[in-house]
Amino acid sequence: MALEVLGERRAKLLADPLKVTVDGVVTMDLQENLRGIERQIDGVRRRAAAPDDPREEGEEKNTLVTSALVPSRRYR
C-alpha cells in the first residue's frame, strides 16, 4: 500500500515541471521533494520482504509453534 501511495506522489511530481522560475518574483524547485519520495520508496522496498523470501545469514528467524491443550485429568 505504501509503495502505491508513494508511486502516485512521484508520478504527480514528474507530471509537472520540477523547477519553475518567474523572473524577479519567485523560484519554485521540487527536485528535493522528488529525491525524498524516491528515498522513501527505496526504504520501503528494503524493509518489506515477503514472508517466503530467503533470509540473509545472521538474521533472526521467527517460528510459530502450535500445540493442543489437553486436560491433565480425564473426566467421566
Side-chain angles (χ1 to χ4, degrees):
M1 182 67 184
L3 286 175
E4 185 177 333
V5 170
L6 291 170
E8 288 174 6
R9 289 181 184 175
R10 182 179 181 271
K12 187 175 179 181
L13 277 174
L14 290 174
D16 296 328
L18 291 176
K19 189 171 186 178
V20 176
T21 303
V22 178
D23 290 334
V25 179
V26 70
T27 299
M28 186 174 75
D29 189 359
L30 300 175
Q31 292 175 1
E32 285 301 316
N33 291 2
L34 179 61
R35 287 188 197 110
I37 288 176
E38 288 174 344
R39 282 192 301 269
Q40 288 178 333
I41 289 171
D42 186 48
V44 168
R45 283 187 178 146
R46 277 189 270 134
R47 279 183 260 142
D52 58 347
D53 282 350
R55 296 189 182 271
E56 294 181 21
E57 280 188 44
E59 281 191 42
E60 241 182 72
K61 185 175 181 182
N62 295 328
T63 305
L64 175 65
V65 178
T66 61
S67 64
L69 297 176
V70 181
S72 59
R73 291 190 228 171
R74 295 191 82 177
Y75 294 101
R76 294 183 186 195

